[in-house]
Amino acid sequence: MASQLQEVSTTDLYYICQIVDSVTTSPRAYLRKLEDVFGDMSSSNLVRKFPKWTCFHMFIEEVISSVIFEDAEQALIKPGKYWIDHLLKSNNFDYPAPPFSEFSVYEGYEYLEKLQENELIDRVCEDICKQVFHVLFSNRRTLTAFGCLVGDYVLNTSSAFVPDAFNDKGFLRRASIPTWAKSAVFHRDKGRCVLCKVDLTRQFSQKAKIHYDHIVPLARGGMNCVTNLQLTCSGCNTSKGGRSSRTSHEYESWYDY
Ligand SMILES: [Zn+2]
């Protein structure tokens, strides 16, 4: 369907993916910002049932805007010389936005405020976020790291603010998985159990049972989220156990070497 086609173009895309991946695996420097994204009241975002704009999207957006604002901390610079200018140009956003004069100098934050009058920063962040998600959704290692990262927030903070979403044991209640989420995961994992690689397309055998497994189990703060699912067979799903965040970092190559 044409509506699912997405342009993935920016030359900075993999640079941003690398930053997002680094923050998920070693978030120390970003811990305070994580509190801003998911702490207290915002933690209710973590218990939403299969939102299409996931918590991982929100996290990616936060990282992108952090980098934009850090870049603008240098005082007094000419319009057109910030990283944000580069992002706007390479993603085909209106540029330069009025009322800038290329002969004036601006304070970084003043410049960003003016751009934001036309919501240019929000729009470019959202656009790049979708591109970053496109790349990182393929990477189960990054998704696992992110799921483990927010697991504590789910179990501790979210349960305090949204207790109804949790069961008697204090785990998030299991939500039924919508068809679009199953399709996305089946497509990404190419119809194979990610752990034992058995074919689950069921073209030639109806025996294999398909499981959409929570990568980070609900018992460990896993979310009801498309980013927390992987395709497994019933045997692997049962042997994985309810408290293990096991996945595989192997992917089918495009062709044999
Ligand atoms: Zn299996």
Side-chain angles (χ1 to χ4, degrees), residues 193 195-198 232-233 236:
C193 171
L195 299 174
C196 74
K197 315 299 178 208
V198 71
T232 62
C233 69
C236 287

mmCIF file of all heavy atoms in Angstrom, residues 193 195-198 232-233 236, ligand 1:
data_model
loop_
_atom_site.group_PDB
_atom_site.id
_atom_site.type_symbol
_atom_site.label_atom_id
_atom_site.label_comp_id
_atom_site.label_asym_id
_atom_site.label_seq_id
_atom_site.Cartn_x
_atom_site.Cartn_y
_atom_site.Cartn_z
ATOM 1 N N CYS A 193 10.787 -18.484 13.695
ATOM 2 C CA CYS A 193 11.035 -18.364 15.129
ATOM 3 C C CYS A 193 12.418 -17.719 15.292
ATOM 4 O O CYS A 193 13.392 -18.214 14.724
ATOM 5 C CB CYS A 193 11.020 -19.742 15.791
ATOM 6 S SG CYS A 193 11.565 -19.714 17.514
ATOM 7 N N LEU A 195 14.333 -17.739 17.720
ATOM 8 C CA LEU A 195 15.261 -18.493 18.555
ATOM 9 C C LEU A 195 15.769 -19.761 17.866
ATOM 10 O O LEU A 195 16.958 -20.005 17.794
ATOM 11 C CB LEU A 195 14.602 -18.825 19.902
ATOM 12 C CG LEU A 195 14.214 -17.565 20.715
ATOM 13 C CD1 LEU A 195 13.438 -17.944 21.971
ATOM 14 C CD2 LEU A 195 15.447 -16.747 21.080
ATOM 15 N N CYS A 196 14.854 -20.589 17.314
ATOM 16 C CA CYS A 196 15.312 -21.847 16.696
ATOM 17 C C CYS A 196 15.249 -21.801 15.170
ATOM 18 O O CYS A 196 15.669 -22.730 14.499
ATOM 19 C CB CYS A 196 14.501 -23.027 17.224
ATOM 20 S SG CYS A 196 12.829 -23.104 16.557
ATOM 21 N N LYS A 197 14.714 -20.702 14.626
ATOM 22 C CA LYS A 197 14.659 -20.434 13.170
ATOM 23 C C LYS A 197 13.672 -21.315 12.405
ATOM 24 O O LYS A 197 13.690 -21.334 11.179
ATOM 25 C CB LYS A 197 16.049 -20.570 12.497
ATOM 26 C CG LYS A 197 17.195 -19.917 13.238
ATOM 27 C CD LYS A 197 17.022 -18.441 13.383
ATOM 28 C CE LYS A 197 18.177 -17.851 14.182
ATOM 29 N NZ LYS A 197 17.818 -16.645 14.910
ATOM 30 N N VAL A 198 12.831 -22.055 13.103
ATOM 31 C CA VAL A 198 11.873 -22.888 12.381
ATOM 32 C C VAL A 198 10.922 -22.001 11.573
ATOM 33 O O VAL A 198 10.591 -20.887 11.982
ATOM 34 C CB VAL A 198 11.086 -23.806 13.371
ATOM 35 C CG1 VAL A 198 10.109 -23.001 14.215
ATOM 36 C CG2 VAL A 198 10.342 -24.902 12.627
ATOM 37 N N THR A 232 8.051 -16.325 17.859
ATOM 38 C CA THR A 232 8.672 -17.584 18.297
ATOM 39 C C THR A 232 7.713 -18.738 18.020
ATOM 40 O O THR A 232 6.520 -18.529 17.807
ATOM 41 C CB THR A 232 8.989 -17.600 19.817
ATOM 42 O OG1 THR A 232 7.772 -17.484 20.538
ATOM 43 C CG2 THR A 232 9.946 -16.508 20.225
ATOM 44 N N CYS A 233 8.276 -19.951 18.042
ATOM 45 C CA CYS A 233 7.426 -21.140 17.989
ATOM 46 C C CYS A 233 6.976 -21.458 19.418
ATOM 47 O O CYS A 233 7.521 -20.900 20.376
ATOM 48 C CB CYS A 233 8.199 -22.318 17.386
ATOM 49 S SG CYS A 233 9.522 -22.939 18.423
ATOM 50 N N CYS A 236 9.859 -22.900 21.795
ATOM 51 C CA CYS A 236 10.827 -21.916 22.302
ATOM 52 C C CYS A 236 10.161 -20.971 23.294
ATOM 53 O O CYS A 236 10.768 -20.569 24.287
ATOM 54 C CB CYS A 236 11.425 -21.113 21.156
ATOM 55 S SG CYS A 236 12.595 -22.070 20.173
HETATM 56 ZN ZN ZN B 1 11.578 -21.938 18.085
#
